[in-house]
Amino acid sequence: MATATATAPPTSSTTALPQMKKENEKVDYFNLPCPIPYEEIHREAFMSLKPELFEGMRFDFTRGLNQSVFMGPMEIPSQSSETIKIPTAHYEFGANFIDPKLMLFGRIMTDGRLNARVKCDLTDNLSFKGNAQLTNEPHMSHGMAYFDYKGKDYRSQFQLGNGALLGANYIQSVTPNLSFGGEVFWAGQHRKSGIGYAARYNTDKMVATGQVASTGLVALSYVQKISEKVSLASDLMYNYMSKEATASFGYDYILRQCRLRGKIDSNGCASAFLEERLNMGLNFILSAELDHRKKDYKFGFGLTVGE
Amino acid sequence: MASSQGKKRVTQGKESEQSLISRASRTRNPWRHFFYNLVLGMASSQGKKRVTQGKESEQSLISRASRNVSQSSIVIHAKRAASEAAVVSKKLLRSTGKAAWIAGTTFLILAVPLIIEMDRDQQLTEIELQNASLLGTTPTPK
């Protein structure tokens, strides 16, 4: 029910457009490519600008079973501007099951957190994704279920979560390069609802995306692929409610032996993430983050075996 | 300062005078009393005074000269300018230091790894090219 009402306005507006244009243009609007999922419209910018930065030491072993050891300080969220860090260490054990139709992932950590993910293709077009996190702290466990429907030139998704969380989104290709999408959500526990729109324009040289939501969030991103190896990315996040804006600029360099990602943002924060391939299936990771304003410097190194 | 020193000296002089007078009165001789008075007057008022006066005038001259110099507007201006310059230069030095630290660390994080990795990649390509020319094999892409 929610999907039908939610997706109705963007559907009608976006599908009407290609039919009108169809007569006087050569582009075959009946064979538009399928857009990428609504949640992943910032995918390229995220890949370049948001690497998994960490502080301390980590060791990941992924060969059949998934094992990960992490040692290092962990930040405790606090109201004051000073960051409080406590040294922690944890071990994570995981198991994967991968089949063309069904994928299961499970992770358990020494502090009692359990993470489970399911991805299952019910039919050719309909797929189900599940995500659950269980902790020993009360009210911190949560679960989400996603039902994806992939059409010929559109995608829609229905979300269901605990805490009476309902959501739906829809994305439609308008031209071979341009796609528009919209979403609605309702969080019953917090009595909040919202609506959002997104647009994405991608060619093989660049990707530009924009997203607006009624929560006050405006996110714009732009990725320029300079060559096969190099891409430059920038993004701008603006929150209308708190009147805060952050912009960041980053590069993503993929060489034969390594992948290097660097970023600098308007909060005075510079970071770099280097993945060096030492051997087949053996990666060395270096991570650095400098927050000049908070005087918070984070450095990490790690090793990944497998993949 | 000078006046208080002078007062002290005067009181010291009075004490010695009194002691002399008392000795003279003990002797009960008017001539001797007169003589003592005379000697006392000669010694205390002239000799001592001359010495102290010389010192005082010397000090006052130096102090007056130095006061004149130190209170002159040029010196005050110069002092103020110097202190301001010191403060400004300290601030400038500190801020340039901070800026250099930020720029240096940012460069170290963002640019140095990139340079190193590009250099390594270049070297790899060269080695592959050399191998290709020596062995006659085609360089493998990637």
Side-chain angles (χ1 to χ4, degrees):
Chain A
M1 283 297 284
T3 28
T5 50
T7 50
T11 325
S12 55
S13 61
T14 46
T15 45
L17 211 64
Q19 279 164 6
M20 271 166 58
K21 278 188 182 175
K22 181 184 71 179
E23 279 92 25
N24 48 21
E25 281 197 42
K26 284 176 196 168
V27 184
D28 186 5
Y29 285 105
F30 285 114
N31 288 316
L32 289 173
C34 189
I36 69 161
Y38 186 83
E39 311 145 306
E40 294 180 21
I41 55 163
H42 299 299
R43 187 166 60 186
E44 285 84 0
F46 260 73
M47 285 288 276
S48 303
L49 294 171
K50 305 226 169 20
E52 279 179 59
L53 295 166
F54 61 96
E55 183 176 16
M57 192 277 280
R58 65 184 297 167
F59 178 77
D60 297 294
F61 185 84
T62 321
R63 197 159 272 176
L65 294 173
N66 199 315
Q67 296 175 77
S68 164
V69 178
F70 172 78
M71 276 182 235
M74 203 165 71
E75 263 178 55
I76 290 186
S78 64
Q79 270 78 36
S80 65
S81 58
E82 268 183 58
T83 50
I84 305 161
K85 289 178 180 177
I86 50 159
T88 51
H90 59 74
Y91 170 75
E92 189 185 284
F93 179 77
N96 307 332
F97 174 81
I98 298 170
D99 190 71
K101 286 268 180 200
L102 180 68
M103 280 195 263
L104 300 168
F105 303 96
R107 299 273 181 282
I108 187 154
M109 287 220 254
T110 42
D111 58 356
R113 270 188 288 170
L114 175 79
N115 201 320
R117 277 187 296 154
V118 188
K119 192 172 184 294
C120 175
D121 292 332
L122 300 170
T123 65
D124 279 349
N125 287 334
L126 188 67
S127 69
F128 166 74
K129 271 193 287 181
N131 203 334
Q133 198 176 19
L134 302 174
T135 57
N136 45 14
E137 293 168 58
H139 308 299
M140 292 299 283
S141 307
H142 54 85
M144 285 289 286
Y146 305 90
F147 294 93
D148 289 279
Y149 186 79
K150 177 175 172 260
K152 211 175 74 177
D153 58 357
Y154 66 93
R155 276 172 196 269
S156 62
Q157 187 185 56
F158 178 62
Q159 304 169 354
L160 197 70
N162 71 331
L165 186 73
L166 289 170
N169 59 54
Y170 179 87
I171 188 159
Q172 167 83 48
S173 291
V174 180
T175 71
N177 293 330
L178 186 66
S179 53
F180 282 113
E183 67 165 340
V184 285
F185 65 88
W186 185 67
Q189 207 171 41
H190 306 285
R191 306 234 164 249
K192 273 183 191 167
S193 63
I195 188 163
Y197 296 101
R200 178 186 160 97
Y201 185 81
N202 60 331
T203 63
D204 48 359
K205 280 280 168 204
M206 55 80 90
V207 179
T209 60
Q211 191 178 11
V212 200
S214 62
T215 51
L217 181 85
V218 179
L220 304 169
S221 73
Y222 180 79
V223 179
Q224 175 82 45
K225 287 168 197 153
I226 291 179
S227 70
E228 251 180 63
K229 290 175 176 177
V230 196
S231 62
L232 296 177
S234 63
D235 84 333
L236 172 73
M237 294 274 256
Y238 174 64
N239 197 325
Y240 186 75
M241 299 294 171
S242 59
K243 305 269 183 214
E244 277 173 4
T246 40
S248 53
F249 176 78
Y251 64 82
D252 189 348
Y253 227 97
I254 301 169
L255 296 164
R256 263 173 297 180
Q257 291 281 310
C258 75
R259 181 174 186 186
L260 180 63
R261 280 174 273 185
K263 187 199 80 174
I264 186 158
D265 74 12
S266 60
N267 288 333
C269 184
S271 63
F273 192 77
L274 171 74
E275 292 160 280
E276 175 96 28
R277 204 176 71 194
L278 299 175
N279 214 325
M280 272 303 284
L282 180 68
N283 287 322
F284 178 64
I285 313 166
L286 280 175
S287 158
E289 190 179 6
L290 306 178
D291 196 331
H292 290 297
R293 189 165 293 176
K294 286 188 196 160
K295 293 212 165 42
D296 182 20
Y297 308 114
K298 296 176 189 168
F299 297 96
F301 71 98
L303 212 60
T304 311
V305 183
E307 274 181 301
Chain B
M1 283 290 282
S3 62
S4 68
Q5 275 177 358
K7 266 185 189 173
K8 255 188 191 172
R9 212 167 292 131
V10 169
T11 50
Q12 273 179 358
K14 267 186 184 172
E15 270 172 15
S16 60
E17 214 176 313
Q18 276 176 351
S19 66
L20 273 172
I21 289 164
S22 64
R23 225 191 280 170
S25 60
R26 247 182 273 138
T27 50
R28 287 174 192 174
N29 193 333
W31 286 107
R32 200 172 265 185
H33 190 211
F34 172 75
F35 174 73
Y36 270 117
N37 262 347
L38 199 80
V39 169
L40 187 133
M42 286 273 283
S44 70
S45 68
Q46 287 181 351
K48 270 187 193 170
K49 256 186 193 168
R50 206 178 299 140
V51 172
T52 53
Q53 266 179 354
K55 265 189 188 170
E56 264 180 7
S57 64
E58 215 170 280
Q59 276 183 347
S60 69
L61 247 177
I62 291 166
S63 67
R64 211 183 300 155
S66 68
R67 208 181 296 140
N68 277 347
V69 169
S70 67
Q71 283 179 349
S72 70
S73 60
I74 300 166
V75 170
I76 288 170
H77 273 286
K79 260 187 190 170
R80 199 171 290 162
S83 69
E84 273 171 13
V87 168
V88 166
S89 62
K90 199 187 250 180
K91 271 185 188 169
L92 199 73
L93 209 69
R94 194 161 289 174
S95 60
T96 40
K98 214 180 251 177
W101 165 253
I102 288 172
T105 48
T106 306
F107 178 78
L108 196 71
I109 289 294
L110 291 177
V112 171
L114 190 67
I115 294 164
I116 292 169
E117 289 300 338
M118 280 168 82
D119 192 54
R120 277 177 58 127
D121 199 61
Q122 193 76 32
Q123 280 180 355
L124 265 171
T125 334
E126 272 172 24
I127 289 166
E128 268 179 14
L129 274 172
Q130 272 184 2
N131 282 352
S133 62
L134 282 173
L135 303 167
T137 52
T138 49
T140 50
K142 279 194 179 179

mmCIF file with all atom_site columns, all heavy atoms in Angstrom, chain B residues 43-60:
data_model
loop_
_atom_site.group_PDB
_atom_site.id
_atom_site.type_symbol
_atom_site.label_atom_id
_atom_site.label_alt_id
_atom_site.label_comp_id
_atom_site.label_asym_id
_atom_site.label_entity_id
_atom_site.label_seq_id
_atom_site.pdbx_PDB_ins_code
_atom_site.Cartn_x
_atom_site.Cartn_y
_atom_site.Cartn_z
_atom_site.occupancy
_atom_site.B_iso_or_equiv
_atom_site.pdbx_formal_charge
_atom_site.auth_seq_id
_atom_site.auth_comp_id
_atom_site.auth_asym_id
_atom_site.auth_atom_id
_atom_site.pdbx_PDB_model_num
ATOM 1   N N   . ALA B 1 43 ? 83.442 69.948 61.908 1.00 0.00 ? 43 ALA B N   1
ATOM 2   C CA  . ALA B 1 43 ? 83.493 68.566 61.386 1.00 0.00 ? 43 ALA B CA  1
ATOM 3   C C   . ALA B 1 43 ? 82.167 68.147 60.757 1.00 0.00 ? 43 ALA B C   1
ATOM 4   O O   . ALA B 1 43 ? 82.140 67.658 59.617 1.00 0.00 ? 43 ALA B O   1
ATOM 5   C CB  . ALA B 1 43 ? 83.840 67.604 62.525 1.00 0.00 ? 43 ALA B CB  1
ATOM 6   N N   . SER B 1 44 ? 81.128 68.325 61.545 1.00 0.00 ? 44 SER B N   1
ATOM 7   C CA  . SER B 1 44 ? 79.842 67.782 61.058 1.00 0.00 ? 44 SER B CA  1
ATOM 8   C C   . SER B 1 44 ? 79.279 68.590 59.900 1.00 0.00 ? 44 SER B C   1
ATOM 9   O O   . SER B 1 44 ? 78.913 68.032 58.875 1.00 0.00 ? 44 SER B O   1
ATOM 10  C CB  . SER B 1 44 ? 78.828 67.715 62.189 1.00 0.00 ? 44 SER B CB  1
ATOM 11  O OG  . SER B 1 44 ? 78.447 69.042 62.540 1.00 0.00 ? 44 SER B OG  1
ATOM 12  N N   . SER B 1 45 ? 79.259 69.905 60.075 1.00 0.00 ? 45 SER B N   1
ATOM 13  C CA  . SER B 1 45 ? 78.563 70.698 59.051 1.00 0.00 ? 45 SER B CA  1
ATOM 14  C C   . SER B 1 45 ? 79.358 70.846 57.777 1.00 0.00 ? 45 SER B C   1
ATOM 15  O O   . SER B 1 45 ? 78.787 70.815 56.693 1.00 0.00 ? 45 SER B O   1
ATOM 16  C CB  . SER B 1 45 ? 78.212 72.076 59.619 1.00 0.00 ? 45 SER B CB  1
ATOM 17  O OG  . SER B 1 45 ? 79.417 72.801 59.826 1.00 0.00 ? 45 SER B OG  1
ATOM 18  N N   . GLN B 1 46 ? 80.702 70.986 57.909 1.00 0.00 ? 46 GLN B N   1
ATOM 19  C CA  . GLN B 1 46 ? 81.456 71.274 56.674 1.00 0.00 ? 46 GLN B CA  1
ATOM 20  C C   . GLN B 1 46 ? 81.973 70.012 55.981 1.00 0.00 ? 46 GLN B C   1
ATOM 21  O O   . GLN B 1 46 ? 81.621 69.726 54.844 1.00 0.00 ? 46 GLN B O   1
ATOM 22  C CB  . GLN B 1 46 ? 82.615 72.215 56.990 1.00 0.00 ? 46 GLN B CB  1
ATOM 23  C CG  . GLN B 1 46 ? 82.086 73.603 57.249 1.00 0.00 ? 46 GLN B CG  1
ATOM 24  C CD  . GLN B 1 46 ? 83.192 74.593 57.538 1.00 0.00 ? 46 GLN B CD  1
ATOM 25  O OE1 . GLN B 1 46 ? 84.346 74.222 57.711 1.00 0.00 ? 46 GLN B OE1 1
ATOM 26  N NE2 . GLN B 1 46 ? 82.841 75.866 57.603 1.00 0.00 ? 46 GLN B NE2 1
ATOM 27  N N   . GLY B 1 47 ? 82.811 69.310 56.726 1.00 0.00 ? 47 GLY B N   1
ATOM 28  C CA  . GLY B 1 47 ? 83.478 68.144 56.083 1.00 0.00 ? 47 GLY B CA  1
ATOM 29  C C   . GLY B 1 47 ? 82.488 67.117 55.570 1.00 0.00 ? 47 GLY B C   1
ATOM 30  O O   . GLY B 1 47 ? 82.498 66.738 54.395 1.00 0.00 ? 47 GLY B O   1
ATOM 31  N N   . LYS B 1 48 ? 81.627 66.653 56.481 1.00 0.00 ? 48 LYS B N   1
ATOM 32  C CA  . LYS B 1 48 ? 80.665 65.607 56.090 1.00 0.00 ? 48 LYS B CA  1
ATOM 33  C C   . LYS B 1 48 ? 79.758 66.113 54.982 1.00 0.00 ? 48 LYS B C   1
ATOM 34  O O   . LYS B 1 48 ? 79.489 65.414 54.008 1.00 0.00 ? 48 LYS B O   1
ATOM 35  C CB  . LYS B 1 48 ? 79.814 65.182 57.288 1.00 0.00 ? 48 LYS B CB  1
ATOM 36  C CG  . LYS B 1 48 ? 80.422 64.049 58.070 1.00 0.00 ? 48 LYS B CG  1
ATOM 37  C CD  . LYS B 1 48 ? 79.450 63.585 59.132 1.00 0.00 ? 48 LYS B CD  1
ATOM 38  C CE  . LYS B 1 48 ? 80.171 62.668 60.119 1.00 0.00 ? 48 LYS B CE  1
ATOM 39  N NZ  . LYS B 1 48 ? 79.306 62.403 61.283 1.00 0.00 ? 48 LYS B NZ  1
ATOM 40  N N   . LYS B 1 49 ? 79.269 67.348 55.206 1.00 0.00 ? 49 LYS B N   1
ATOM 41  C CA  . LYS B 1 49 ? 78.332 67.902 54.247 1.00 0.00 ? 49 LYS B CA  1
ATOM 42  C C   . LYS B 1 49 ? 78.933 67.979 52.858 1.00 0.00 ? 49 LYS B C   1
ATOM 43  O O   . LYS B 1 49 ? 78.259 67.666 51.871 1.00 0.00 ? 49 LYS B O   1
ATOM 44  C CB  . LYS B 1 49 ? 77.878 69.292 54.683 1.00 0.00 ? 49 LYS B CB  1
ATOM 45  C CG  . LYS B 1 49 ? 76.480 69.273 55.260 1.00 0.00 ? 49 LYS B CG  1
ATOM 46  C CD  . LYS B 1 49 ? 76.004 70.656 55.534 1.00 0.00 ? 49 LYS B CD  1
ATOM 47  C CE  . LYS B 1 49 ? 74.739 70.606 56.395 1.00 0.00 ? 49 LYS B CE  1
ATOM 48  N NZ  . LYS B 1 49 ? 74.411 71.968 56.919 1.00 0.00 ? 49 LYS B NZ  1
ATOM 49  N N   . ARG B 1 50 ? 80.212 68.331 52.811 1.00 0.00 ? 50 ARG B N   1
ATOM 50  C CA  . ARG B 1 50 ? 80.812 68.497 51.499 1.00 0.00 ? 50 ARG B CA  1
ATOM 51  C C   . ARG B 1 50 ? 80.828 67.158 50.751 1.00 0.00 ? 50 ARG B C   1
ATOM 52  O O   . ARG B 1 50 ? 80.499 67.082 49.580 1.00 0.00 ? 50 ARG B O   1
ATOM 53  C CB  . ARG B 1 50 ? 82.247 69.055 51.651 1.00 0.00 ? 50 ARG B CB  1
ATOM 54  C CG  . ARG B 1 50 ? 82.713 69.831 50.428 1.00 0.00 ? 50 ARG B CG  1
ATOM 55  C CD  . ARG B 1 50 ? 84.096 70.389 50.683 1.00 0.00 ? 50 ARG B CD  1
ATOM 56  N NE  . ARG B 1 50 ? 84.116 71.290 51.802 1.00 0.00 ? 50 ARG B NE  1
ATOM 57  C CZ  . ARG B 1 50 ? 85.099 71.341 52.718 1.00 0.00 ? 50 ARG B CZ  1
ATOM 58  N NH1 . ARG B 1 50 ? 86.115 70.512 52.626 1.00 0.00 ? 50 ARG B NH1 1
ATOM 59  N NH2 . ARG B 1 50 ? 85.068 72.216 53.707 1.00 0.00 ? 50 ARG B NH2 1
ATOM 60  N N   . VAL B 1 51 ? 81.219 66.169 51.493 1.00 0.00 ? 51 VAL B N   1
ATOM 61  C CA  . VAL B 1 51 ? 81.280 64.834 50.864 1.00 0.00 ? 51 VAL B CA  1
ATOM 62  C C   . VAL B 1 51 ? 79.890 64.413 50.384 1.00 0.00 ? 51 VAL B C   1
ATOM 63  O O   . VAL B 1 51 ? 79.702 64.028 49.235 1.00 0.00 ? 51 VAL B O   1
ATOM 64  C CB  . VAL B 1 51 ? 81.844 63.800 51.865 1.00 0.00 ? 51 VAL B CB  1
ATOM 65  C CG1 . VAL B 1 51 ? 81.725 62.401 51.288 1.00 0.00 ? 51 VAL B CG1 1
ATOM 66  C CG2 . VAL B 1 51 ? 83.285 64.129 52.170 1.00 0.00 ? 51 VAL B CG2 1
ATOM 67  N N   . THR B 1 52 ? 78.910 64.505 51.289 1.00 0.00 ? 52 THR B N   1
ATOM 68  C CA  . THR B 1 52 ? 77.566 64.059 50.920 1.00 0.00 ? 52 THR B CA  1
ATOM 69  C C   . THR B 1 52 ? 76.982 64.910 49.823 1.00 0.00 ? 52 THR B C   1
ATOM 70  O O   . THR B 1 52 ? 76.327 64.389 48.908 1.00 0.00 ? 52 THR B O   1
ATOM 71  C CB  . THR B 1 52 ? 76.623 64.094 52.135 1.00 0.00 ? 52 THR B CB  1
ATOM 72  O OG1 . THR B 1 52 ? 76.704 65.402 52.704 1.00 0.00 ? 52 THR B OG1 1
ATOM 73  C CG2 . THR B 1 52 ? 76.971 63.036 53.137 1.00 0.00 ? 52 THR B CG2 1
ATOM 74  N N   . GLN B 1 53 ? 77.239 66.195 49.882 1.00 0.00 ? 53 GLN B N   1
ATOM 75  C CA  . GLN B 1 53 ? 76.721 67.063 48.831 1.00 0.00 ? 53 GLN B CA  1
ATOM 76  C C   . GLN B 1 53 ? 77.256 66.667 47.462 1.00 0.00 ? 53 GLN B C   1
ATOM 77  O O   . GLN B 1 53 ? 76.529 66.604 46.494 1.00 0.00 ? 53 GLN B O   1
ATOM 78  C CB  . GLN B 1 53 ? 77.086 68.517 49.124 1.00 0.00 ? 53 GLN B CB  1
ATOM 79  C CG  . GLN B 1 53 ? 75.985 69.239 49.871 1.00 0.00 ? 53 GLN B CG  1
ATOM 80  C CD  . GLN B 1 53 ? 76.363 70.671 50.167 1.00 0.00 ? 53 GLN B CD  1
ATOM 81  O OE1 . GLN B 1 53 ? 77.495 71.072 49.899 1.00 0.00 ? 53 GLN B OE1 1
ATOM 82  N NE2 . GLN B 1 53 ? 75.430 71.426 50.713 1.00 0.00 ? 53 GLN B NE2 1
ATOM 83  N N   . GLY B 1 54 ? 78.524 66.371 47.416 1.00 0.00 ? 54 GLY B N   1
ATOM 84  C CA  . GLY B 1 54 ? 79.144 65.933 46.149 1.00 0.00 ? 54 GLY B CA  1
ATOM 85  C C   . GLY B 1 54 ? 78.449 64.711 45.592 1.00 0.00 ? 54 GLY B C   1
ATOM 86  O O   . GLY B 1 54 ? 78.092 64.655 44.426 1.00 0.00 ? 54 GLY B O   1
ATOM 87  N N   . LYS B 1 55 ? 78.247 63.743 46.466 1.00 0.00 ? 55 LYS B N   1
ATOM 88  C CA  . LYS B 1 55 ? 77.586 62.499 46.025 1.00 0.00 ? 55 LYS B CA  1
ATOM 89  C C   . LYS B 1 55 ? 76.176 62.774 45.510 1.00 0.00 ? 55 LYS B C   1
ATOM 90  O O   . LYS B 1 55 ? 75.755 62.266 44.474 1.00 0.00 ? 55 LYS B O   1
ATOM 91  C CB  . LYS B 1 55 ? 77.518 61.501 47.191 1.00 0.00 ? 55 LYS B CB  1
ATOM 92  C CG  . LYS B 1 55 ? 78.665 60.526 47.195 1.00 0.00 ? 55 LYS B CG  1
ATOM 93  C CD  . LYS B 1 55 ? 78.413 59.444 48.223 1.00 0.00 ? 55 LYS B CD  1
ATOM 94  C CE  . LYS B 1 55 ? 79.643 58.569 48.371 1.00 0.00 ? 55 LYS B CE  1
ATOM 95  N NZ  . LYS B 1 55 ? 79.507 57.669 49.542 1.00 0.00 ? 55 LYS B NZ  1
ATOM 96  N N   . GLU B 1 56 ? 75.453 63.559 46.298 1.00 0.00 ? 56 GLU B N   1
ATOM 97  C CA  . GLU B 1 56 ? 74.054 63.848 45.937 1.00 0.00 ? 56 GLU B CA  1
ATOM 98  C C   . GLU B 1 56 ? 73.949 64.531 44.598 1.00 0.00 ? 56 GLU B C   1
ATOM 99  O O   . GLU B 1 56 ? 73.146 64.136 43.760 1.00 0.00 ? 56 GLU B O   1
ATOM 100 C CB  . GLU B 1 56 ? 73.424 64.747 47.013 1.00 0.00 ? 56 GLU B CB  1
ATOM 101 C CG  . GLU B 1 56 ? 72.660 63.944 48.035 1.00 0.00 ? 56 GLU B CG  1
ATOM 102 C CD  . GLU B 1 56 ? 72.047 64.821 49.083 1.00 0.00 ? 56 GLU B CD  1
ATOM 103 O OE1 . GLU B 1 56 ? 72.104 66.051 48.934 1.00 0.00 ? 56 GLU B OE1 1
ATOM 104 O OE2 . GLU B 1 56 ? 71.509 64.268 50.040 1.00 0.00 ? 56 GLU B OE2 1
ATOM 105 N N   . SER B 1 57 ? 74.813 65.514 44.412 1.00 0.00 ? 57 SER B N   1
ATOM 106 C CA  . SER B 1 57 ? 74.734 66.264 43.158 1.00 0.00 ? 57 SER B CA  1
ATOM 107 C C   . SER B 1 57 ? 75.051 65.361 41.971 1.00 0.00 ? 57 SER B C   1
ATOM 108 O O   . SER B 1 57 ? 74.418 65.425 40.921 1.00 0.00 ? 57 SER B O   1
ATOM 109 C CB  . SER B 1 57 ? 75.680 67.453 43.193 1.00 0.00 ? 57 SER B CB  1
ATOM 110 O OG  . SER B 1 57 ? 77.004 66.990 43.277 1.00 0.00 ? 57 SER B OG  1
ATOM 111 N N   . GLU B 1 58 ? 76.046 64.461 42.216 1.00 0.00 ? 58 GLU B N   1
ATOM 112 C CA  . GLU B 1 58 ? 76.418 63.520 41.158 1.00 0.00 ? 58 GLU B CA  1
ATOM 113 C C   . GLU B 1 58 ? 75.224 62.619 40.784 1.00 0.00 ? 58 GLU B C   1
ATOM 114 O O   . GLU B 1 58 ? 74.855 62.498 39.634 1.00 0.00 ? 58 GLU B O   1
ATOM 115 C CB  . GLU B 1 58 ? 77.548 62.622 41.671 1.00 0.00 ? 58 GLU B CB  1
ATOM 116 C CG  . GLU B 1 58 ? 78.563 62.230 40.611 1.00 0.00 ? 58 GLU B CG  1
ATOM 117 C CD  . GLU B 1 58 ? 79.748 61.553 41.268 1.00 0.00 ? 58 GLU B CD  1
ATOM 118 O OE1 . GLU B 1 58 ? 80.623 62.263 41.803 1.00 0.00 ? 58 GLU B OE1 1
ATOM 119 O OE2 . GLU B 1 58 ? 79.736 60.314 41.241 1.00 0.00 ? 58 GLU B OE2 1
ATOM 120 N N   . GLN B 1 59 ? 74.624 62.050 41.853 1.00 0.00 ? 59 GLN B N   1
ATOM 121 C CA  . GLN B 1 59 ? 73.476 61.172 41.637 1.00 0.00 ? 59 GLN B CA  1
ATOM 122 C C   . GLN B 1 59 ? 72.349 61.917 40.964 1.00 0.00 ? 59 GLN B C   1
ATOM 123 O O   . GLN B 1 59 ? 71.727 61.410 40.021 1.00 0.00 ? 59 GLN B O   1
ATOM 124 C CB  . GLN B 1 59 ? 72.979 60.621 42.972 1.00 0.00 ? 59 GLN B CB  1
ATOM 125 C CG  . GLN B 1 59 ? 73.764 59.406 43.396 1.00 0.00 ? 59 GLN B CG  1
ATOM 126 C CD  . GLN B 1 59 ? 73.226 58.830 44.676 1.00 0.00 ? 59 GLN B CD  1
ATOM 127 O OE1 . GLN B 1 59 ? 72.427 59.477 45.360 1.00 0.00 ? 59 GLN B OE1 1
ATOM 128 N NE2 . GLN B 1 59 ? 73.679 57.629 45.016 1.00 0.00 ? 59 GLN B NE2 1
ATOM 129 N N   . SER B 1 60 ? 72.058 63.064 41.426 1.00 0.00 ? 60 SER B N   1
ATOM 130 C CA  . SER B 1 60 ? 70.933 63.818 40.888 1.00 0.00 ? 60 SER B CA  1
ATOM 131 C C   . SER B 1 60 ? 71.185 64.175 39.429 1.00 0.00 ? 60 SER B C   1
ATOM 132 O O   . SER B 1 60 ? 70.275 64.153 38.620 1.00 0.00 ? 60 SER B O   1
ATOM 133 C CB  . SER B 1 60 ? 70.674 65.070 41.703 1.00 0.00 ? 60 SER B CB  1
ATOM 134 O OG  . SER B 1 60 ? 71.746 65.970 41.509 1.00 0.00 ? 60 SER B OG  1
#
